[in-house]
Amino acid sequence: MKKVAVIGAGTMGNGIAHTFAQNGFEVCLIDINKDALKIGLQTIDANLDRMVAKEKITVQQKQDTLDNIVPFTNIEEGVDNVTLVVEAATENLDLKLKIFKELDEACSETAILATNTSSISITQIASVTSKPERVIGMHFMNPVPIMPLVEIINGYNTSKEVTKTIMDLSKTLGKVPVEVNDYPGFVANRILMPMLNESIETLYNGVAGVEEIDNVMKLGMAHPMGPLQLADFIGLDVCLSILNVMYEGFKNPKYAPCPLLVNMVRAGKLGVKSGEGFYDYSENKKADKVASQFMK
């Protein structure tokens, strides 16, 4: 397995492509948006420059990594003759179902179809394909080149052979794969999102301010980043989407998103990516400071 395709050149997609390419894989990076593809490649280049500056890789290793990535704007062309596809498009069920229907028609019978979804059912995604036993979840953490964990999520029909292949593959990327089963939020977000939501509720109820809440968790619980700052980093729209999936999946009010989170997303205050969330990222390059905490 030396040729893979990654669908989506956004934050997660370009990070996944970077990681595979740095480990010697030929990567077809696919995004129908030419501008998004260009920005994704620029992001990979900039992140590699940081690694060179910190002497984690050589200039030649950077160039080899870039040479391993070939951009495409067409799914059918991009997945030709690949053995693995990792879908990292927007966390939207309808979009993912559409993509997997296309992949089912365009990919070889033996290709493994993986999704980087952080909350959507693997079983539901697999249901639109003719080979659900070859569909699996590969939930990478952000930023992908740095964070070691990969949640490997089995759908109801995922074969043991496919699971073993993806577990072994993740180790070759220098990651630590953890096998879990297909329930809303899996493990990472089933635990993380209620904590972030409760932090937002704490702010909403006037118990303490933003920095006070974050400092309690950083200084008292040894978290590297406070929960409100982490929510900004993930994207408040993404947090809301995951909570909604869990709420719908479990029908349990403890997963209901805080009204403050809902209103902030409606107002376009999405965190780092929009320039404002619980913190203001428009001045002093605070967004770069947030990201640098994970890029050391």
Side-chain angles (χ1 to χ4, degrees):
M1 188 177 287
K2 279 295 178 182
K3 185 176 182 181
V4 304
V6 177
I7 298 180
T11 300
M12 296 304 296
N14 72 59
I16 294 168
H18 172 163
T19 300
F20 273 101
Q22 192 177 326
N23 284 277
F25 290 81
E26 181 183 344
V27 180
C28 303
L29 181 57
I30 307 166
D31 200 305
I32 59 173
N33 186 320
K34 290 182 179 180
D35 290 337
L37 197 55
K38 180 179 178 181
I39 293 170
L41 292 169
Q42 290 173 341
T43 300
I44 294 170
D45 187 84
N47 287 338
L48 288 168
D49 278 340
R50 291 191 187 98
M51 297 179 79
V52 171
K54 294 173 182 178
E55 299 184 345
K56 291 186 175 182
I57 61 172
T58 65
V59 173
Q60 185 59 54
Q61 286 173 316
K62 173 196 169 180
Q63 191 57 53
D64 291 342
T65 299
L66 292 174
D67 290 344
N68 283 336
I69 303 173
V70 181
F72 290 88
T73 56
N74 180 282
I75 286 182
E76 188 173 355
E77 292 177 3
V79 301
D80 182 47
N81 202 32
V82 301
T83 50
L84 169 69
V85 180
V86 182
E87 172 272 318
T90 303
E91 194 75 345
N92 177 283
L93 175 60
D94 291 339
L95 175 60
K96 290 185 186 295
L97 294 180
K98 179 178 181 294
I99 289 171
F100 272 78
K101 285 179 183 178
E102 290 185 49
L103 293 176
D104 189 52
E105 296 175 0
C107 293
S108 71
E109 289 291 321
T110 57
I112 295 174
L113 308 182
T115 173
N116 182 60
T117 182
S118 57
S119 61
I120 296 171
S121 168
I122 308 303
T123 304
Q124 187 172 10
I125 291 172
S127 70
V128 300
T129 74
S130 61
K131 37 189 179 291
E133 70 280 1
R134 302 197 68 78
V135 178
I136 195 166
M138 288 186 80
H139 179 205
F140 291 86
M141 304 294 124
N142 184 30
V144 181
I146 305 300
M147 300 293 277
L149 174 67
V150 184
E151 268 190 310
I152 307 300
I153 306 109
N154 294 314
Y156 189 84
N157 293 302
T158 305
S159 73
K160 292 182 180 179
E161 176 192 6
V162 165
T163 301
K164 183 180 186 307
T165 298
I166 296 302
M167 292 285 286
D168 292 343
L169 173 67
S170 299
K171 293 174 185 176
T172 70
L173 297 175
K175 302 300 184 184
V176 179
V178 176
E179 184 180 351
V180 305
N181 291 318
D182 187 20
Y183 292 95
F186 316 133
V187 171
N189 282 320
R190 183 168 179 171
I191 294 170
L192 175 64
M193 286 301 153
M195 185 194 76
L196 299 188
N197 197 43
E198 191 61 31
S199 301
I200 299 169
E201 284 278 1
T202 302
L203 176 67
Y204 179 58
N205 292 330
V207 178
V210 171
E211 293 189 6
E212 287 77 10
I213 292 168
D214 278 353
N215 282 335
V216 166
M217 298 306 288
K218 286 190 290 185
L219 302 178
M221 313 304 169
H223 290 198
M225 181 182 284
L228 299 176
Q229 192 178 40
L230 178 57
D232 275 354
F233 187 76
I234 293 169
L236 302 190
D237 55 335
V238 176
C239 293
L240 178 60
S241 174
I242 296 169
L243 284 164
N244 280 331
V245 167
M246 293 169 65
Y247 181 57
E248 287 299 316
F250 290 115
K251 304 299 184 191
N252 189 323
K254 75 177 181 179
Y255 298 113
C258 175
L260 175 58
L261 174 62
V262 174
N263 274 342
M264 290 180 72
V265 172
R266 286 173 177 167
K269 299 184 187 303
L270 309 180
V272 174
K273 61 185 168 186
S274 70
E276 185 178 359
F278 293 106
Y279 292 87
D280 183 356
Y281 303 93
S282 60
E283 298 179 1
N284 301 321
K285 297 184 179 179
K286 190 170 183 180
D288 289 339
K289 293 179 182 179
V290 172
S292 70
Q293 294 185 47
F294 286 93
M295 298 302 290
K296 292 178 180 178

